[in-house]
């Protein structure tokens, strides 16, 4: 892609699954940031596949402490940099949905509320993939996971996905946005925008997971694109609480196509789950309305 | 004029004296979350920051867990850090403290000891900090406000020593030390800063030399990493002694060995304890000595590292050792008692008595200590030493 | 090699991990069709595509053979071949 520098700060040889959406996201994120950065990651897929002792894939300073404290560790680093009078080094957290939506939510809230000069990036693969595809509060309704399996009394995850953008916006921070790996330039611009604005910023990146969602490793980008074009993952940008930019969609792809492309939703094909599919379509309708997704 | 760097001597509350000392050290990052009874320390530090007296970054965290994690971050970036907590707050910090020790990040904590829930109780015992004993954390228990002050002056130097690099905790009893008023000597800021030295770790997160913190390891290396924490904590014992000696030279006060002995040389009975109750026990020892009883006291200052050699040496000549424990491991006895006992195994040491006492602030008076000694002596003479630990002053009528 | 304290480890050492051995199929670039646009490099999860002299080059030392580059190439310049068919 023209005009994009090709610095690479995620070394080859990491242990991500073939076709991993997270590693694509992280490469793009680091490329947008450059190397004057300290990255903090909570426990999760990214941490596991990048950090075996003596085999780190990180080409920038990287800190992993625990599952639920990355925003607080980053806060301590940011405060230390301020104390030392080093305002130029960026502090960025890159954490999964389990760490972001669930176990680290309090820590994240504290960091956002204190408005540290930190960009928090959630890579959302919609379940605890590292431990074997257990549901998180990012798991979408209807998805079969190892802790919300389909059965005679279960259609998979029963609850709708938590809305993290709304959560982030509740902290009155300057920048909140969502991005998808299928739109790399948009993703990288959002990373840069989040860094440029002072104070805390939240960026949500959807990262399809071949193993957890159930699709072929070469379909990762396609799934990301389909999720956006089906209105499942709106790409939006808020500055100072105002919705400033939305990636418009010419024609919505059918939800059925999105669901049909993943094993985790395959049971929804059956007629008895029509109401579940209807609920998912309703979520899309709400997205379309809320963000004005459709070009007109 | 004192030849030592005395700033002033006045009657002060323990928490304020500790906060003034931390203020003199000016840690770059202070992570805070309120819990009784440590609040006066962090409130005073907040005032020092608000008045511009110190330049620390003072962060009001969203939990003790985050407060400790903020220390982790600051220490990894090469900046001195501080927090204080108590009771449940310390338990919430536990996961982070293990992590700091494993990653060799020397943040400093003041623990203002308080009982653990349930039932909720804000009075002192040692269950909170003793529960952190396996983490790799340095733990020093102090007896009074002056010792709290002097230990805080010494603690950064110890924790940040390149051969140590471990988190450290000064444990001071809630209320009895934190809220009491005693005459205290505060030291001049410059002297305190100079004594502590600067924090210069061999590794820190820095874009100029990217490193990876918190790596994943397999069974081929994990034992070695754990062993390195263990041996660093063992090495700390000498560092504590050295810091105390240096402190004596420069400040003229001595609070600092890993243990303190009080009339142990010829003692047939040695009481072992930690924290503020030690002062009470000294009073009891004085009274019993006046009555001709050969009683002594072994005060454990450094519980981690555990002063195994000193304990063995000092207890070896006694007939009886009586451990007064302010914490216990349910079904397994007092924690200090168990460790002392394990340490004396296969030694031709004293008969050991273990009392669990002073739980949740239940008062221990000199006469309580004398009662414990009397009871132990009777059992000893009748050769009916209790198998395990005894809950002292248990009110059977309530059971 | 002696261990660093605290498990702190050097950057960029994953290059010792030759993930190319995971592969059962390999992307091959048609040099005539490739215009070096770089989209494959951008989407490669394994940092093993480079653009050299206006053409994409795949480092088979690390390529896990996921096939994203094949799917995303707008000029159909990359095809998957069974490993070993050269």
């Amino acid at each position: 892609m023209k005009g994009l520098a090709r610095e690479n700060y995620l070394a080859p040889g990491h242990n991500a699954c073939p076709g991993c959406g997270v590693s694509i996201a992280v490469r793009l994120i680091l490329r947008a940031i450059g190397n004057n950065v300290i990255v903090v990651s909570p426990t999760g897929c990214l941490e596991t596949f990048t950090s075996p002792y003596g085999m780190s894939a990180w080409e920038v300073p990287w800190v992993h402490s625990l599952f639920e404290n990355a925003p607080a560790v980053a806060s301590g680093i940011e405060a230390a940099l301020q104390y030392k009078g080093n305002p130029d080094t960026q502090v960025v957290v890159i954490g999964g949905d389990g760490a972001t939506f669930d176990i680290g939510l309090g820590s994240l809230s504290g960091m956002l509320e204190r408005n540290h000069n930190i960009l928090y990036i959630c890579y959302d693969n919609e379940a605890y993939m590292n431990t074997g595809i257990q549901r998180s509060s990012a798991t979408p309704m209807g998805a079969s996971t190892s802790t919300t399996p389909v059965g005679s009394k279960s259609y998979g995850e029963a609850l709708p996905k938590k809305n993290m953008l709304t959560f982030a916006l509740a902290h009155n921070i300057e920048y909140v946005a969502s991005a998808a790996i299928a739109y790399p330039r948009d993703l990288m611009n959002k990373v840069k925008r989040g860094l440029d604005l002072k104070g805390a910023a939240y960026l949500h990146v959807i990262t399809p997971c071949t193993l957890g969602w159930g699709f072929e490793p070469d379909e990762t980008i396609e799934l990301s694109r389909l999720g956006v074009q089906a209105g499942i993952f709106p790409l939006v940008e808020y500055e100072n609480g105002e919705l400033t930019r939305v990636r418009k969609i010419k024609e919505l792809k059918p939800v059925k196509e999105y669901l049909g492309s993943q094993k985790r939703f395959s049971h929804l094909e059956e007629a008895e789950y029509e109401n579940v599919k209807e609920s998912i379509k309703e979520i899309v309708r709400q997205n379309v309305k809320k963000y004005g997704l459709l070009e007109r | 004029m004192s030849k030592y760097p005395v700033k002033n001597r006045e009657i002060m509350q323990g928490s304020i004296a500790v906060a003034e000392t931390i203020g003199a050290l000016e840690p770059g990052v202070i992570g805070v979350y309120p819990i009784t009874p440590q609040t006066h320390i962090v409130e005073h530090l907040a005032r020092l920051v608000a008045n511009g007296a110190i330049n620390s970054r003072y962060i009001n965290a969203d939990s003790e867990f985050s407060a400790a994690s903020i220390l982790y971050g600051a220490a990894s970036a090469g900046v001195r850090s501080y927090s204080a907590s108590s009771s449940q707050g310390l338990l919430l910090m536990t996961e982070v403290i293990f992590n700091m020790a494993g990653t060799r990040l020397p943040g400093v904590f003041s623990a203002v000891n308080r009982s653990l829930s349930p039932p909720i109780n804000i009075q002192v015992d040692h269950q909170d900090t003793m529960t952190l004993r396996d983490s790799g954390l340095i733990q020093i228990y102090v007896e009074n406000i002056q010792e709290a002050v002097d230990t805080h002056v010494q603690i950064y130097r110890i924790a940040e020593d390149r051969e140590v690099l471990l988190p450290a905790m000064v444990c001071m009893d809630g209320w009895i030390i934190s809220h009491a008023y005693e005459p205290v000597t505060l030291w001049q800021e410059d002297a305190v800063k100079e004594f502590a030295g600067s924090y210069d770790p061999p590794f820190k997160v820095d874009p100029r030399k990217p490193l990876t913190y918190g790596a994943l390891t397999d069974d081929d290396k994990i034992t070695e990493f754990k062993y390195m924490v263990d041996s660093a904590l063992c090495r700390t014992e000498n560092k504590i002694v050295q810091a105390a000696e240096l402190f004596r030279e420069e400040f003229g006060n001595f609070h600092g060995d890993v243990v303190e002995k009080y009339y142990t040389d010829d003692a047939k009975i040695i009481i072992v304890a930690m924290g503020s109750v030690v002062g009470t026990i000294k009073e009891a020892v004085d009274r019993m000595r006046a009555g001709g009883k050969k009683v002594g006291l072994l005060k454990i200052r450094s519980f981690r590292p555990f002063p195994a050699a000193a304990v063995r040496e000092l207890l070896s000549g006694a007939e009886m050792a009586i451990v007064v424990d302010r914490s216990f491991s349910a079904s397994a006895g007092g924690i200090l008692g168990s460790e002392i006992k394990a340490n004396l195994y296969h030694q031709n040491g004293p008969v050991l008595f273990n009392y669990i006492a002073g739980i949740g602030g239940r008062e221990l008076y000199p006469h309580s200590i004398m009662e414990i000694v009397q009871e132990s002596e009777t059992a000893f003479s009748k050769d009916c030493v209790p198998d395990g630990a005894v809950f002292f002053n248990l009110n059977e009528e309530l059971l | 090699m002696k261990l660093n304290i605290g498990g702190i480890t050097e950057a960029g050492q994953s290059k010792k991990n030759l993930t190319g051995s995971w592969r059962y199929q390999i992307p091959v670039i048609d040099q005539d069709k490739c215009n070096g646009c770089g989209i494959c490099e951008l989407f490669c999860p394994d940092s093993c595509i480079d653009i050299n002299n206006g053409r994409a080059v795949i480092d088979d030392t690390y390529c896990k053979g996921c096939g994203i580059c094949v799917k995303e190439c707008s000029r159909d310049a990359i095809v998957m071949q069974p490993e070993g068919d050269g």
Side-chain angles (χ1 to χ4, degrees), chain A residues 35-36 48 51-53 56 59-66 68-69 72-73 76-77 79-80 82-84 89 106-107 110 114, chain B residues 26 28 57 59-62 65-66 69-70 72-74 77 79 95 99 205 207 210-217 221 225:
Chain A
N35 59 0
N36 193 3
T48 312
S51 73
Y53 183 85
S56 169
E59 302 274 19
V60 294
W62 178 83
V63 180
H64 159 243
S65 170
L66 295 164
E68 66 276 46
N69 70 353
V73 169
I77 292 173
Q82 279 190 17
Y83 179 75
K84 290 198 286 193
T89 297
S107 175
R114 294 188 301 268
Chain B
E26 200 183 318
R57 304 288 133 161
I59 303 179
N60 282 296
D62 44 280
F65 182 82
S66 285
S69 301
I70 285 165
Y72 182 105
V79 167
E95 192 188 7
N99 213 247
V205 280
L211 291 168
T212 291
Y213 274 65
L216 181 88
T217 52
K221 299 181 196 77
F225 281 121

